[in-house]
Amino acid sequence: LQPPRTPLTICRFPSFAPPSQDSLNTMSWQAYVDDNLLASGQVTAAGIYDLQGNPWAYSAGFAAQIAEVAAISGHLHADASGLAATGLVIAGVKYMFVRGETGEYVVGKKGNEGVVVYKCNTCLVVAYHSDKIQPGSCNMTVGKLVDFLKENSI
């Protein structure tokens, strides 16, 4: 006697597909902050702001002011290195300018903590990392989200 034959089952894993344009239009800005930045563990607090500094979404307790974000936006538009003289002020804390590229991003630090501000087509992504997070990890995490937003004309 032979054991009964069972049909062979092929297991297929779902393939990754980037979000559709429809889902981009319906996804909450808060979800970008929560699911892409904070959930990574590489960003302590973050926000997404329009180019005039008005908030679209931000993490709880992240108190970047409209004027602060607008000032950084102005430097990103004209001359990022201009922040070397004044530093970056986010949520009332002044960070030393480390580096930046006009039209792209600026990085600031205060001790072992820091901020990064990236410019997209229509918004700014502002992220803060505590002293427990490596600056490069925070920068890379934010950069990936910004690349995605830029690819989708945001």
Side-chain angles (χ1 to χ4, degrees), residues 3-150:
R5 294 186 138 199
T6 57
L8 180 63
T9 304
I10 298 175
C11 181
R12 295 186 186 205
F13 294 99
S15 61
F16 174 77
S20 68
Q21 191 62 40
D22 288 339
S23 68
L24 285 174
N25 294 335
T26 60
M27 185 173 182
S28 151
W29 289 110
Q30 193 63 48
Y32 285 111
V33 171
D34 296 340
D35 300 341
N36 292 286
L37 299 176
L38 300 180
S40 72
Q42 303 305 312
V43 175
T44 306
I48 300 176
Y49 302 82
D50 69 16
L51 298 177
Q52 291 74 41
N54 298 302
W56 289 357
Y58 51 89
S59 57
F62 189 63
Q65 300 299 307
I66 293 171
E68 296 169 340
V69 178
I72 294 170
S73 178
H75 281 283
L76 276 169
H77 181 70
D79 180 17
S81 65
L83 288 167
T86 61
L88 291 79
V89 178
I90 296 289
V93 178
K94 187 174 182 177
Y95 296 88
M96 178 180 73
F97 174 82
V98 175
R99 68 181 178 280
E101 186 176 325
T102 301
E104 295 294 324
Y105 70 93
V106 291
V107 177
K109 73 177 231 169
K110 180 176 184 173
N112 290 329
E113 299 177 350
V115 293
V116 60
V117 181
Y118 271 90
K119 183 180 180 293
C120 298
N121 299 328
T122 60
C123 63
L124 297 173
V125 178
V126 180
Y128 160 79
H129 69 83
S130 69
D131 60 351
K132 299 186 180 5
I133 297 171
Q134 291 294 318
S137 299
C138 177
N139 197 8
M140 186 172 65
T141 300
V142 177
K144 286 180 183 177
L145 175 60
V146 168
D147 288 345
F148 172 78
L149 294 174
K150 284 181 174 182

